[in-house]
Coordinates of all heavy atoms in Angstrom, one line a residue:
M130 N 2.9 7.8 19.6 CA 3.8 7.4 18.5 C 4.1 5.9 18.5 O 4.3 5.3 19.6 CB 5.2 8.1 18.5 CG 6.1 7.5 17.4 SD 7.8 8.2 17.5 CE 7.7 9.9 18.2
A131 N 3.8 5.2 17.4 CA 3.9 3.7 17.4 C 4.8 3.3 16.2 O 4.8 3.9 15.2 CB 2.6 3.0 17.4
R132 N 5.5 2.1 16.4 CA 6.2 1.6 15.3 C 5.4 0.3 14.8 O 5.2 -0.6 15.7 CB 7.6 1.2 15.6 CG 8.5 2.4 15.9 CD 9.9 2.1 16.2 NE 10.6 1.5 15.1 CZ 11.2 2.1 14.1 NH1 11.1 3.4 14.0 NH2 11.8 1.4 13.1
I133 N 4.9 0.4 13.6 CA 4.0 -0.8 13.2 C 4.6 -1.4 12.0 O 5.4 -0.7 11.3 CB 2.5 -0.2 13.0 CG1 2.5 0.9 12.0 CG2 1.9 0.2 14.3 CD1 1.2 1.4 11.7
T134 N 4.1 -2.5 11.6 CA 4.6 -3.2 10.4 C 3.8 -2.9 9.1 O 2.6 -2.3 9.3 CB 4.5 -4.7 10.6 OG1 3.2 -5.1 10.7 CG2 5.4 -5.2 11.8
V135 N 4.3 -3.1 8.0 CA 3.5 -2.8 6.7 C 2.3 -3.6 6.7 O 1.2 -3.1 6.4 CB 4.3 -3.1 5.5 CG1 3.6 -3.0 4.3 CG2 5.6 -2.1 5.5
E136 N 2.3 -4.8 7.3 CA 1.1 -5.7 7.3 C 0.1 -5.1 8.2 O -1.1 -5.1 7.9 CB 1.5 -7.1 7.7 CG 0.3 -8.0 7.7 CD 0.6 -9.4 8.2 OE1 1.7 -9.7 8.4 OE2 -0.3 -10.2 8.2
E137 N 0.4 -4.5 9.2 CA -0.6 -3.9 10.1 C -1.1 -2.7 9.5 O -2.4 -2.3 9.7 CB 0.1 -3.4 11.5 CG 0.5 -4.7 12.3 CD 1.3 -4.2 13.5 OE1 2.2 -3.3 13.5 OE2 1.1 -4.8 14.6
V138 N -0.4 -1.9 8.6 CA -1.0 -0.7 7.9 C -1.9 -1.3 7.0 O -3.1 -0.6 6.8 CB 0.1 0.1 7.2 CG1 -0.5 1.1 6.3 CG2 1.1 0.7 8.2
Y139 N -1.7 -2.4 6.2 CA -2.6 -2.9 5.2 C -3.7 -3.6 5.8 O -4.9 -3.5 5.3 CB -1.9 -3.6 4.2 CG -1.2 -2.8 3.2 CD1 0.0 -2.2 3.3 CD2 -1.9 -2.6 1.9 CE1 0.6 -1.4 2.4 CE2 -1.4 -1.8 1.0 CZ -0.1 -1.2 1.3 OH 0.4 -0.4 0.2
R140 N -3.6 -4.5 6.8 CA -4.6 -5.3 7.3 C -5.1 -5.1 8.7 O -6.1 -5.6 9.1 CB -4.1 -6.8 7.2 CG -3.7 -7.2 5.9 CD -3.5 -8.7 5.8 NE -2.7 -9.1 4.6 CZ -3.2 -9.1 3.4 NH1 -4.4 -8.8 3.2 NH2 -2.5 -9.5 2.4
G141 N -4.3 -4.1 9.4 CA -4.7 -3.9 10.8 C -6.0 -3.0 11.0 O -6.4 -2.4 10.0
E142 N -6.4 -2.8 12.2 CA -7.6 -2.1 12.5 C -7.3 -0.6 12.4 O -8.2 0.2 12.1 CB -8.1 -2.5 13.8 CG -8.7 -3.9 13.9 CD -9.2 -4.2 15.2 OE1 -9.7 -3.3 15.9 OE2 -9.3 -5.4 15.5
K143 N -6.1 -0.1 12.8 CA -5.9 1.3 12.9 C -5.8 2.0 11.6 O -6.5 3.0 11.4 CB -4.5 1.6 13.6 CG -4.3 3.0 13.8 CD -3.1 3.3 14.8 CE -2.9 4.7 15.1 NZ -1.8 4.9 15.9
Y144 N -5.2 1.5 10.5 CA -5.2 2.1 9.3 C -6.0 1.3 8.1 O -6.6 2.0 7.3 CB -3.7 2.3 8.8 CG -3.0 3.2 9.7 CD1 -2.1 2.9 10.6 CD2 -3.3 4.7 9.8 CE1 -1.4 3.8 11.5 CE2 -2.7 5.6 10.7 CZ -1.7 5.0 11.5 OH -1.1 5.9 12.3
G145 N -6.0 0.1 8.2 CA -6.8 -0.8 7.4 C -6.9 -0.5 5.9 O -8.1 -0.3 5.4
V146 N -5.8 -0.3 5.3 CA -5.8 0.1 3.8 C -6.7 -0.8 3.0 O -7.5 -0.4 2.2 CB -4.4 0.2 3.3 CG1 -4.3 0.3 1.7 CG2 -3.6 1.3 4.0
M147 N -6.5 -2.1 3.2 CA -7.2 -3.1 2.3 C -8.6 -3.1 2.6 O -9.5 -3.1 1.7 CB -6.6 -4.5 2.5 CG -5.2 -4.6 2.0 SD -5.0 -4.3 0.3 CE -5.8 -5.7 -0.4
S148 N -9.1 -3.0 3.9 CA -10.5 -3.0 4.0 C -11.2 -1.7 3.7 O -12.3 -1.7 3.2 CB -10.8 -3.2 5.6 OG -10.2 -2.3 6.4
A149 N -10.5 -0.6 3.8 CA -10.9 0.7 3.3 C -11.2 0.7 1.8 O -12.2 1.2 1.3 CB -10.1 1.8 3.7
A150 N -10.1 0.2 1.1 CA -10.2 0.1 -0.3 C -11.3 -0.8 -0.8 O -12.2 -0.5 -1.7 CB -8.9 -0.3 -1.0
M151 N -11.5 -2.0 -0.1 CA -12.6 -2.9 -0.5 C -14.0 -2.4 -0.2 O -14.9 -2.4 -1.0 CB -12.4 -4.3 0.1 CG -11.3 -5.0 -0.5 SD -11.4 -5.3 -2.2 CE -12.8 -6.2 -2.4
A152 N -14.1 -1.7 1.0 CA -15.3 -1.0 1.3 C -15.7 0.0 0.3 O -16.8 0.0 -0.1 CB -15.2 -0.4 2.7
Q153 N -14.8 0.8 -0.1 CA -15.2 1.9 -1.2 C -15.6 1.2 -2.4 O -16.4 1.6 -3.1 CB -14.0 2.8 -1.3 CG -14.3 3.9 -2.3 CD -13.3 4.9 -2.5 OE1 -12.3 5.0 -1.8 NE2 -13.6 5.9 -3.5
Y154 N -14.8 0.2 -2.8 CA -15.1 -0.5 -4.1 C -16.6 -1.1 -4.0 O -17.3 -1.0 -5.0 CB -14.1 -1.6 -4.3 CG -14.3 -2.4 -5.7 CD1 -14.0 -1.9 -6.9 CD2 -15.0 -3.6 -5.6 CE1 -14.3 -2.6 -8.0 CE2 -15.3 -4.3 -6.8 CZ -14.9 -3.8 -8.0 OH -15.2 -4.4 -9.1
L155 N -16.9 -1.8 -2.9 CA -18.1 -2.4 -2.8 C -19.3 -1.3 -2.7 O -20.5 -1.6 -3.2 CB -18.2 -3.4 -1.6 CG -17.3 -4.6 -1.8 CD1 -17.3 -5.4 -0.4 CD2 -17.7 -5.5 -2.9
R156 N -19.0 -0.3 -2.1 CA -20.0 0.8 -1.9 C -20.2 1.6 -3.2 O -21.3 1.9 -3.5 CB -19.5 1.8 -0.8 CG -20.5 2.9 -0.5 CD -20.0 3.9 0.5 NE -18.8 4.6 0.0 CZ -17.6 4.6 0.5 NH1 -17.3 3.9 1.7 NH2 -16.6 5.2 0.1
D157 N -19.1 2.0 -3.9 CA -19.2 2.9 -5.1 C -19.0 2.2 -6.4 O -19.3 2.9 -7.4 CB -18.2 4.0 -4.8 CG -18.3 4.7 -3.7 OD1 -19.4 4.9 -3.1 OD2 -17.3 5.3 -3.2
G158 N -18.6 0.9 -6.4 CA -18.3 0.3 -7.7 C -17.1 0.9 -8.4 O -16.2 1.5 -7.7
R159 N -17.1 0.7 -9.7 CA -16.0 1.3 -10.4 C -16.4 2.0 -11.6 O -17.4 1.7 -12.2 CB -15.0 0.2 -10.9 CG -15.5 -0.8 -11.8 CD -14.4 -1.8 -12.3 NE -15.0 -2.8 -13.0 CZ -15.5 -2.8 -14.4 NH1 -15.2 -1.7 -15.1 NH2 -16.0 -3.8 -14.9
P160 N -15.7 3.1 -12.1 CA -16.0 3.7 -13.4 C -15.9 2.8 -14.5 O -15.0 1.8 -14.5 CB -15.0 4.8 -13.5 CG -14.4 4.9 -12.0 CD -14.5 3.6 -11.4
A161 N -16.7 2.9 -15.5 CA -16.7 2.0 -16.7 C -15.4 2.0 -17.5 O -15.1 1.0 -18.1 CB -17.9 2.4 -17.6
E162 N -14.6 3.0 -17.4 CA -13.4 3.1 -18.2 C -12.3 2.4 -17.7 O -11.2 2.3 -18.2 CB -13.0 4.6 -18.4 CG -12.6 5.4 -17.2 CD -13.9 6.2 -16.6 OE1 -15.0 5.9 -17.0 OE2 -13.6 7.1 -15.9
Y163 N -12.5 1.8 -16.3 CA -11.3 1.0 -15.7 C -11.8 -0.4 -15.6 O -12.9 -0.8 -15.4 CB -11.1 1.5 -14.3 CG -10.5 3.0 -14.3 CD1 -11.3 4.0 -14.1 CD2 -9.1 3.2 -14.6 CE1 -10.8 5.4 -14.0 CE2 -8.7 4.4 -14.6 CZ -9.5 5.6 -14.3 OH -8.9 6.8 -14.4
D164 N -10.8 -1.4 -15.7 CA -11.0 -2.7 -15.5 C -11.0 -2.9 -13.9 O -10.4 -2.1 -13.2 CB -10.1 -3.6 -16.2 CG -8.7 -3.5 -15.7 OD1 -8.3 -4.0 -14.7 OD2 -8.0 -2.8 -16.6
E165 N -11.5 -4.1 -13.5 CA -11.6 -4.2 -12.0 C -10.3 -4.2 -11.3 O -10.2 -3.5 -10.2 CB -12.3 -5.6 -11.8 CG -12.6 -5.9 -10.3 CD -13.2 -7.2 -10.1 OE1 -13.0 -8.2 -10.8 OE2 -14.1 -7.3 -9.2
R166 N -9.3 -4.9 -11.8 CA -8.0 -4.9 -11.2 C -7.4 -3.6 -11.0 O -6.8 -3.2 -10.0 CB -7.1 -5.9 -11.9 CG -5.8 -6.1 -11.2 CD -4.9 -7.1 -12.0 NE -3.6 -7.1 -11.3 CZ -2.9 -8.2 -11.2 NH1 -3.2 -9.2 -11.8 NH2 -1.7 -8.1 -10.6
T167 N -7.4 -2.9 -12.2 CA -6.8 -1.5 -12.1 C -7.5 -0.6 -11.1 O -6.8 0.1 -10.4 CB -6.9 -0.8 -13.6 OG1 -6.2 -1.6 -14.5 CG2 -6.2 0.6 -13.6
W168 N -8.8 -0.6 -11.1 CA -9.5 0.3 -10.2 C -9.2 -0.1 -8.7 O -9.0 0.7 -7.9 CB -11.0 0.2 -10.4 CG -11.7 1.2 -9.7 CD1 -12.6 1.0 -8.6 CD2 -11.6 2.6 -9.7 NE1 -13.1 2.1 -8.1 CE2 -12.4 3.2 -8.8 CE3 -10.9 3.5 -10.5 CZ2 -12.6 4.6 -8.5 CZ3 -11.0 4.8 -10.3 CH2 -11.9 5.3 -9.3
L169 N -9.2 -1.5 -8.5 CA -8.9 -1.9 -7.1 C -7.4 -1.5 -6.7 O -7.2 -1.0 -5.6 CB -8.9 -3.4 -6.9 CG -10.4 -3.9 -6.9 CD1 -10.4 -5.5 -7.0 CD2 -11.0 -3.5 -5.5
E170 N -6.4 -1.5 -7.6 CA -5.1 -1.1 -7.3 C -5.1 0.3 -7.1 O -4.4 0.8 -6.2 CB -4.2 -1.5 -8.5 CG -3.9 -3.0 -8.5 CD -3.1 -3.5 -9.7 OE1 -2.8 -2.6 -10.6 OE2 -2.7 -4.7 -9.7
M171 N -5.8 1.2 -7.8 CA -5.8 2.6 -7.6 C -6.5 3.0 -6.3 O -5.9 3.8 -5.6 CB -6.7 3.3 -8.8 CG -6.0 3.3 -10.1 SD -6.9 3.9 -11.4 CE -7.0 5.5 -11.0
L172 N -7.5 2.2 -5.8 CA -8.1 2.3 -4.5 C -7.1 2.1 -3.4 O -7.0 2.8 -2.4 CB -9.4 1.6 -4.3 CG -10.5 2.1 -5.2 CD1 -11.8 1.1 -5.0 CD2 -11.0 3.5 -4.8
I173 N -6.3 1.0 -3.5 CA -5.4 0.6 -2.6 C -4.2 1.7 -2.5 O -3.9 2.1 -1.4 CB -4.6 -0.7 -3.0 CG1 -5.7 -1.8 -2.8 CG2 -3.5 -1.0 -2.1 CD1 -5.3 -3.2 -3.4
V174 N -3.9 2.2 -3.6 CA -2.9 3.4 -3.5 C -3.5 4.6 -2.9 O -2.8 5.2 -1.9 CB -2.4 3.7 -4.9 CG1 -1.5 5.0 -5.0 CG2 -1.6 2.6 -5.5
K175 N -4.7 4.9 -3.1 CA -5.4 6.1 -2.5 C -5.4 5.9 -1.1 O -5.0 6.8 -0.3 CB -6.8 6.1 -3.2 CG -7.6 7.2 -2.4 CD -9.1 7.1 -2.7 CE -10.0 8.0 -2.0 NZ -11.3 8.0 -2.3
H176 N -5.8 4.7 -0.5 CA -6.0 4.5 0.9 C -4.6 4.4 1.6 O -4.5 4.7 2.7 CB -6.9 3.4 1.1 CG -8.4 3.8 0.8 ND1 -9.1 4.5 1.7 CD2 -9.1 3.5 -0.3 CE1 -10.3 4.7 1.1 NE2 -10.3 4.1 0.0
A177 N -3.6 3.9 0.8 CA -2.3 3.9 1.5 C -1.7 5.2 1.6 O -1.0 5.5 2.6 CB -1.3 3.0 0.5
L178 N -2.0 6.2 0.7 CA -1.6 7.5 0.9 C -2.3 8.2 1.9 O -1.7 9.0 2.7 CB -1.7 8.3 -0.4 CG -1.0 7.8 -1.6 CD1 -1.3 8.6 -2.9 CD2 0.5 8.3 -1.3
I179 N -3.5 7.9 2.1 CA -4.3 8.5 3.3 C -3.8 7.9 4.6 O -3.6 8.8 5.5 CB -5.8 8.1 3.1 CG1 -6.5 8.9 2.0 CG2 -6.6 8.4 4.4 CD1 -7.9 8.4 1.6
A180 N -3.4 6.7 4.6 CA -2.8 6.1 5.8 C -1.5 6.7 6.1 O -1.2 7.0 7.3 CB -2.8 4.6 5.6
A181 N -0.7 6.9 5.0 CA 0.7 7.5 5.2 C 0.5 8.9 5.9 O 1.2 9.3 6.8 CB 1.4 7.7 3.9
E182 N -0.4 9.8 5.4 CA -0.7 11.1 6.0 C -1.2 11.0 7.4 O -0.6 11.7 8.2 CB -1.7 11.8 5.1 CG -2.0 13.2 5.6 CD -0.9 14.1 5.6 OE1 0.1 13.9 4.8 OE2 -0.8 15.1 6.2
N183 N -2.0 9.9 7.7 CA -2.5 9.8 9.1 C -1.3 9.4 10.0 O -1.3 9.9 11.1 CB -3.7 8.9 9.2 CG -5.0 9.4 8.5 OD1 -5.2 10.5 8.4 ND2 -5.8 8.5 8.1
M184 N -0.5 8.5 9.5 CA 0.7 8.0 10.2 C 1.6 9.2 10.6 O 2.0 9.3 11.7 CB 1.4 7.0 9.4 CG 0.7 5.6 9.4 SD 1.7 4.5 8.5 CE 3.1 4.2 9.5
R185 N 1.8 10.1 9.6 CA 2.7 11.2 9.8 C 2.1 12.1 10.8 O 2.7 12.7 11.7 CB 2.9 12.0 8.4 CG 3.8 13.1 8.5 CD 4.0 13.9 7.3 NE 2.8 14.7 6.9 CZ 2.5 15.8 7.4 NH1 3.2 16.4 8.4 NH2 1.3 16.4 7.0
N186 N 0.7 12.4 10.7 CA 0.1 13.3 11.7 C 0.1 12.7 13.1 O 0.2 13.4 14.1 CB -1.4 13.5 11.3 CG -1.5 14.4 10.0 OD1 -0.6 15.0 9.7 ND2 -2.6 14.2 9.4
E187 N 0.1 11.4 13.2 CA 0.1 10.8 14.6 C 1.5 10.5 15.0 O 1.7 10.0 16.1 CB -0.8 9.5 14.5 CG -2.2 9.8 14.3 CD -3.2 8.7 14.4 OE1 -2.8 7.7 15.1 OE2 -4.2 8.7 13.8
G188 N 2.5 10.6 14.2 CA 3.8 10.3 14.6 C 4.3 8.9 14.5 O 5.2 8.4 15.0
D189 N 3.4 8.0 13.9 CA 3.7 6.6 13.7 C 4.8 6.4 12.7 O 5.0 7.2 11.7 CB 2.4 5.8 13.4 CG 1.4 5.8 14.5 OD1 1.8 6.1 15.7 OD2 0.3 5.5 14.3
S190 N 5.4 5.3 12.7 CA 6.4 4.8 11.7 C 6.3 3.4 11.5 O 5.8 2.6 12.3 CB 7.8 5.3 12.1 OG 8.2 4.5 13.3
I191 N 6.9 3.0 10.3 CA 7.0 1.6 9.9 C 8.1 1.0 10.7 O 9.4 1.5 10.5 CB 7.2 1.4 8.4 CG1 6.0 2.0 7.7 CG2 7.3 0.0 8.0 CD1 4.6 1.4 7.9
S192 N 7.9 -0.1 11.4 CA 9.1 -0.8 12.0 C 10.0 -1.4 11.1 O 9.6 -1.9 10.0 CB 8.5 -1.8 13.0 OG 7.9 -2.8 12.3
G193 N 11.3 -1.3 11.4 CA 12.3 -1.9 10.5 C 12.8 -1.0 9.4 O 13.7 -1.5 8.7
M194 N 12.2 0.2 9.2 CA 12.6 1.0 8.2 C 13.0 2.3 8.7 O 12.5 2.9 9.6 CB 11.3 1.4 7.2 CG 10.8 0.1 6.5 SD 9.5 0.7 5.5 CE 10.3 1.0 4.0
T195 N 14.2 2.8 8.2 CA 14.8 4.1 8.6 C 15.0 4.9 7.4 O 14.9 4.5 6.2 CB 16.1 3.8 9.4 OG1 17.1 3.2 8.3 CG2 16.0 2.8 10.5
D196 N 15.3 6.1 7.7 CA 15.5 7.1 6.6 C 16.8 6.7 5.8 O 17.1 7.0 4.6 CB 15.8 8.5 7.0 CG 14.3 9.0 7.4 OD1 13.3 8.5 7.1 OD2 14.4 10.0 8.3
A197 N 17.7 5.9 6.5 CA 19.0 5.5 5.8 C 18.8 4.4 4.8 O 19.7 4.2 4.0 CB 19.9 5.1 6.9
E198 N 17.6 3.7 4.7 CA 17.6 2.7 3.8 C 16.3 3.0 2.8 O 15.4 3.7 3.3 CB 17.3 1.3 4.5 CG 16.2 1.2 5.4 CD 16.1 0.0 6.3 OE1 16.9 -0.1 7.1 OE2 15.3 -0.9 5.9
S199 N 16.3 2.5 1.6 CA 15.3 2.7 0.7 C 14.0 1.9 1.1 O 14.1 0.8 1.6 CB 15.8 2.2 -0.7 OG 14.7 2.2 -1.6
S200 N 12.9 2.6 0.9 CA 11.6 1.9 1.3 C 11.1 1.1 0.1 O 10.1 0.4 0.3 CB 10.6 3.0 1.6 OG 10.4 3.9 0.6
S201 N 11.8 1.3 -1.1 CA 11.3 0.5 -2.2 C 12.0 -0.9 -2.3 O 13.2 -1.0 -1.7 CB 11.5 1.3 -3.5 OG 13.0 1.4 -3.7
S202 N 11.4 -1.8 -2.9 CA 12.1 -3.1 -3.0 C 12.6 -3.2 -4.5 O 11.9 -2.7 -5.5 CB 11.1 -4.3 -2.8 OG 10.0 -4.1 -3.7
C203 N 13.8 -3.5 -4.7 CA 14.4 -3.7 -6.0 C 14.8 -5.0 -6.2 O 15.2 -5.7 -5.4 CB 15.4 -2.6 -6.2 SG 16.9 -2.8 -5.2
M204 N 14.8 -5.4 -7.5 CA 15.4 -6.7 -7.8 C 16.9 -6.6 -8.2 O 17.4 -5.7 -8.7 CB 14.6 -7.2 -9.1 CG 13.2 -7.5 -8.8 SD 12.4 -8.3 -10.3 CE 13.3 -9.9 -10.2
R205 N 17.6 -7.6 -7.7 CA 19.0 -7.6 -8.0 C 19.2 -8.7 -9.0 O 18.8 -9.8 -9.0 CB 19.8 -8.0 -6.7 CG 19.7 -6.9 -5.7 CD 20.7 -7.3 -4.6 NE 20.6 -6.1 -3.6 CZ 20.1 -6.3 -2.4 NH1 19.9 -7.5 -1.9 NH2 20.2 -5.2 -1.5
W206 N 19.9 -8.3 -10.1 CA 20.2 -9.2 -11.2 C 21.6 -9.6 -11.0 O 22.6 -8.9 -10.9 CB 20.0 -8.5 -12.5 CG 18.6 -8.1 -12.7 CD1 18.0 -6.8 -12.6 CD2 17.5 -8.9 -13.1 NE1 16.7 -6.9 -12.8 CE2 16.3 -8.2 -13.1 CE3 17.3 -10.3 -13.4 CZ2 15.1 -8.5 -13.5 CZ3 16.1 -10.8 -13.7 CH2 15.0 -9.9 -13.9
Y207 N 21.7 -11.0 -11.1 CA 23.1 -11.5 -11.0 C 23.6 -12.0 -12.3 O 22.8 -12.4 -13.1 CB 23.1 -12.7 -9.9 CG 22.8 -12.1 -8.5 CD1 21.5 -12.5 -8.0 CD2 23.6 -11.5 -7.8 CE1 21.1 -11.9 -6.7 CE2 23.3 -11.0 -6.5 CZ 22.0 -11.3 -6.0 OH 21.6 -10.8 -4.8
E208 N 24.8 -12.1 -12.4 CA 25.4 -12.5 -13.7 C 25.0 -13.9 -14.1 O 24.7 -14.1 -15.4 CB 26.9 -12.5 -13.7 CG 27.5 -11.0 -13.6 CD 29.0 -11.0 -13.5 OE1 29.6 -12.1 -13.8 OE2 29.5 -10.0 -13.2
H209 N 24.8 -14.8 -13.2 CA 24.3 -16.2 -13.6 C 22.8 -16.3 -13.8 O 22.3 -17.3 -14.2 CB 24.8 -17.1 -12.4 CG 24.2 -16.9 -11.2 ND1 24.6 -16.0 -10.3 CD2 23.1 -17.4 -10.6 CE1 23.8 -15.9 -9.2 NE2 22.9 -16.8 -9.3
D210 N 22.1 -15.3 -13.6 CA 20.7 -15.3 -13.8 C 20.4 -15.0 -15.3 O 21.0 -14.1 -16.0 CB 19.8 -14.3 -13.0 CG 19.7 -14.6 -11.6 OD1 20.0 -15.8 -11.3 OD2 19.4 -13.6 -10.7
N211 N 19.5 -15.7 -15.9 CA 19.1 -15.6 -17.3 C 17.7 -15.2 -17.5 O 17.1 -15.5 -18.3 CB 19.5 -16.9 -18.1 CG 20.9 -17.2 -18.2 OD1 21.7 -16.2 -18.3 ND2 21.2 -18.5 -18.1
A212 N 17.3 -14.3 -16.5 CA 15.9 -14.0 -16.6 C 15.6 -12.8 -17.5 O 16.3 -12.0 -17.8 CB 15.3 -13.7 -15.1

């Protein structure tokens, strides 16, 4: 069981989400009905889900995240912001 960072999940050797997504893209290309960016993003999500399942099976977790806090990032809008 290891505690690893999100960056290690995406760029590290153990799970390598980004390298797996790029390898699949370069090996298989993309379907004609998708633009390049959309297809790459779909591959990243696919490989992130595979990594999450592998992490669960191995008992690994993301360092700095607990069940008590949201894993999503949300924007906070302040009254003085005019965005």
Side-chain angles (χ1 to χ4, degrees):
M130 179 186 326
R132 291 185 64 83
I133 57 178
T134 66
V135 172
E136 183 177 0
E137 289 172 323
V138 172
Y139 276 84
R140 301 187 195 289
E142 292 181 26
K143 187 171 184 180
Y144 295 107
V146 169
M147 294 302 289
S148 61
M151 287 306 297
Q153 183 176 351
Y154 180 79
L155 293 173
R156 183 184 65 239
D157 301 335
R159 68 172 167 84
E162 63 268 19
Y163 295 101
D164 62 78
E165 182 177 40
R166 182 175 178 154
T167 301
W168 189 245
L169 283 171
E170 289 174 355
M171 290 175 67
L172 289 175
I173 291 168
V174 169
K175 171 188 174 181
H176 288 283
L178 292 170
I179 291 169
E182 180 65 21
N183 291 338
M184 288 178 69
R185 187 181 67 81
N186 291 338
E187 294 186 27
D189 292 343
S190 62
I191 301 293
S192 63
M194 296 178 90
T195 65
D196 290 338
E198 58 188 76
S199 172
S200 60
S201 66
S202 59
C203 63
M204 296 188 67
R205 293 190 179 114
W206 298 100
Y207 298 101
E208 290 178 15
H209 63 277
D210 287 345
N211 294 322

